[in-house]
Amino acid sequence: MGKLENPEAFRAKIDDLRANPEAEGNDILNFKDGRVFERYSRPQRVDGTVVGRVWSFRDVTERKRADEELRESEQRFRQVGATFESLTYPDDTNKEAWLAQHMFAGTSPSFQTESPRSSEP
């Protein structure tokens, strides 16, 4: 248990499941070395009677890292979109860039039938 970031929570969950044999458990175990495991436990029954407990552990480290990288990437794209917003305008000559700005920013553009810039002097 010395390899876990929070061994007290690990032990508390085990104690809780032992005290409640009908309960199912599902939680995340974070290790000090950066690994992440899902832990799932459910009662084992024979003829409807709880006779034990089945434990399942799955290494989800790579999935968690990929999720975090995706969040960071989305944030970077939103920042790019914000940059586009300050550089582009919804006029007839720049519609593609204007639409791309909204795509990167994750917003919905409001379409106009007339250009916001007046051609009158």
Side-chain angles (χ1 to χ4, degrees):
M1 288 203 318
K3 295 182 179 187
L4 291 168
E5 286 185 4
N6 192 347
E8 296 82 20
F10 176 82
R11 175 51 83 188
K13 185 66 171 185
I14 291 173
D15 292 343
D16 181 54
L17 290 171
R18 285 185 179 155
N20 300 292
E22 295 286 336
E24 293 188 16
N26 190 12
D27 57 335
I28 299 294
L29 305 174
N30 294 296
F31 288 81
K32 291 178 181 177
D33 64 4
R35 293 178 297 147
V36 181
F37 280 66
E38 285 182 342
R39 174 177 62 180
Y40 177 72
S41 179
R42 64 182 295 168
Q44 181 179 14
R45 293 181 173 85
V46 174
D47 296 325
T49 302
V50 175
V51 295
R53 181 160 289 281
V54 178
W55 296 89
S56 174
F57 295 86
R58 181 171 51 163
D59 187 342
V60 294
T61 306
E62 289 305 314
R63 187 183 81 205
K64 291 289 186 179
R65 285 185 185 147
D67 287 348
E68 181 60 31
E69 288 174 8
L70 179 60
R71 276 190 292 277
E72 290 172 1
S73 176
E74 287 172 344
Q75 183 178 11
R76 285 192 300 273
F77 277 118
R78 290 191 201 296
Q79 290 170 345
V80 167
T83 301
F84 272 115
E85 186 173 323
S86 66
L87 299 175
T88 62
Y89 304 93
D91 61 18
D92 290 336
T93 61
N94 208 2
K95 285 182 182 175
E96 291 82 12
W98 181 67
L99 290 171
Q101 150 207 334
H102 286 283
M103 180 184 73
F104 282 117
T107 60
S108 297
S110 58
F111 294 96
Q112 299 173 339
T113 57
E114 297 180 18
S115 174
R117 295 182 191 175
S118 175
S119 58
E120 297 176 21

